[in-house]
Amino acid sequence: PARAVRGAAAMLDAAATHGLTARAGIHAGEVELQGEEVRGIAVHAAARILDVAQPGEVLVSTTIRDLLSGSGLDFVDRGEFELRGLNGFRSLAALVR
């Protein structure tokens, strides 16, 4: 997950050098392959986290934040969100850049 977060931050920085604004949403979990399509609740959760992310932000689930404890990456809580298609509220955190 650290490489995913760092990679997302690098992509946002690269986009900014070209005058573009991007955002990233990251979650971890099991995925299902159907032919060439990637599916599953983890994919759905990441897409919904991306929907909430602000321009220039790397937004992650608490799963990612917890996995990265001690990694040197810092996060700030962004609050609880009800993500479409998922039960209940989910806590999300933004990468401190």
Side-chain angles (χ1 to χ4, degrees):
R3 289 182 9 201
V5 171
R6 288 186 179 108
M11 287 188 288
L12 297 184
D13 292 343
T17 66
H18 296 286
L20 302 171
T21 303
R23 57 200 166 101
I26 302 175
H27 179 62
E30 295 296 321
V31 297
E32 303 165 17
L33 293 176
Q34 285 189 332
E36 292 185 15
E37 290 194 32
V38 179
R39 297 178 176 219
I41 194 70
V43 176
H44 186 71
R48 296 302 167 244
I49 294 167
L50 177 62
D51 289 344
V52 176
Q54 298 298 308
E57 182 175 59
V58 178
L59 194 61
V60 304
S61 66
T62 53
T63 301
I64 293 293
R65 186 185 62 198
D66 292 348
L67 287 169
L68 293 178
S69 178
S71 70
L73 294 169
D74 294 318
F75 298 91
V76 61
D77 286 333
R78 286 263 279 111
E80 300 257 329
F81 294 86
E82 190 169 20
L83 303 176
R84 185 172 50 92
L86 300 174
N87 293 331
F89 285 82
R90 307 287 174 110
S91 295
L92 302 178
L95 176 66
V96 175
R97 299 173 21 107

